[in-house]
Amino acid sequence: MALHFDKTEFDARRDRLIIEMAERKLDAMLLFAQESMYWLTGYDTFGFCFFQCLVVKADGSMVLMTRSADLRQARHTSILENVVVWTDRDGANPAVELRNLLNELDLLGCRIGVEYNTHGLTGRNTRLLDEEMKTFATTEDASEIISRLRLLKSSAEIVKVEKAAALSDDALEAALPLIKQGGDEGAILAAMQGAIFAGGGDYPANEFIIGSGADALLCRYKSGRRKLNKNDQLTLEWSGVFNHYHVPMMRTVLTGKASRRHQELFEAAKDALTAVEKVMVPGKTFGDVFDAHAKVMEAHGLTRHRLNACGYSVGARFTPSWMEAQMFYAGNPEPIAPDMTLFAHMIIMDSDNETAMTLGRTYLTTESDPRPLSRHGLDLIVQ
């Protein structure tokens, strides 16, 4: 089987989930998030774009209901022993087949938690599911249970994270020689992704961000490439990925010479990231991290040029985003604890002057100060 962890690791994860389910008095959970299935069983697929569900009972037994295309995928990549297939056909309603499966599992009238907050469960499928569940069982939103369990990385996961971090650094080093006057964004992307593949890595859960000139102020990928000018700005957000574990980085790289405004924004970004590092410690919260960032931005007169979030937890994720649910935004009470992998990004977009500056890297939290996972420093890069 194509498993990336030992059976003992999966057993420990299952046991943690069972404890949480008992505290919530749940007889079963219906998992639709692909990262939950991967974390719990190793099941690795992009078939979650269709209806599939992993049923986990309070005794730890599991049954996957999926399509025929993923039957062998589940058997080859996971520890799952019980896989059932719903049949594609005109007018098929897989929610009915799921209800029948739950009935066979003796879950009629039970209390069932559902992972609603995931791209693995579309709005239409949610309506089908709820229609079948309303007279079958008592359901509740349990989207956060595994999401929060996944926040704390095991020692085996940290090994994957460190490999992903090395691939992030490799990608940057592959890109830098190409970032110059006449440099092609397409060639830069190809070099970065090529370095990750060559190092044994995976596709990322979302596209790398690349934009130069005015497009350097964008925080999302878009179609269309250009070549760099003599004095240009290039914003990159990318991630090394190993066994689906992500370690993102973000930089704005300059060609030619740094403008005065670029230098000002860089100093603010570096000050903000330094402030964030000081509060990314046990005893603080995700909201405290955001506040540290916002305070520095305000001191530099950049409040209207910053974003309303400055990072998030990362780990093993699937399309369409490598972001986990827990983010650095105002008032977030989620506590910082050791063994989290947290990406902090300082993003400043001055639309008045069409000047961009970003600075971001991923950290492993500890009992004290966070450990940067990149081998690269934080100096402004001018090519």
Side-chain angles (χ1 to χ4, degrees), residues 197-215:
F197 284 152
D202 302 313
Y203 287 107
N206 58 257
E207 300 90 341
F208 291 175
I209 294 169
I210 185 166
S212 58
D215 292 343

Side-chain angles (χ1 to χ4, degrees), residues 293-306:
H293 142 271
K295 183 177 180 180
V296 171
M297 294 298 179
E298 182 179 12
H300 282 266
L302 297 171
T303 298
R304 70 188 184 92
H305 300 302
R306 66 161 171 82

Side-chain angles (χ1 to χ4, degrees), residues 34 37-38 41-45 52 64 66 70 73-74 77-78:
Q34 182 58 44
M37 301 182 199
Y38 179 76
T41 73
Y43 177 43
D44 190 351
T45 183
Q52 65 174 8
L64 174 69
T66 188
D70 278 300
Q73 193 89 6
T77 66
S78 80

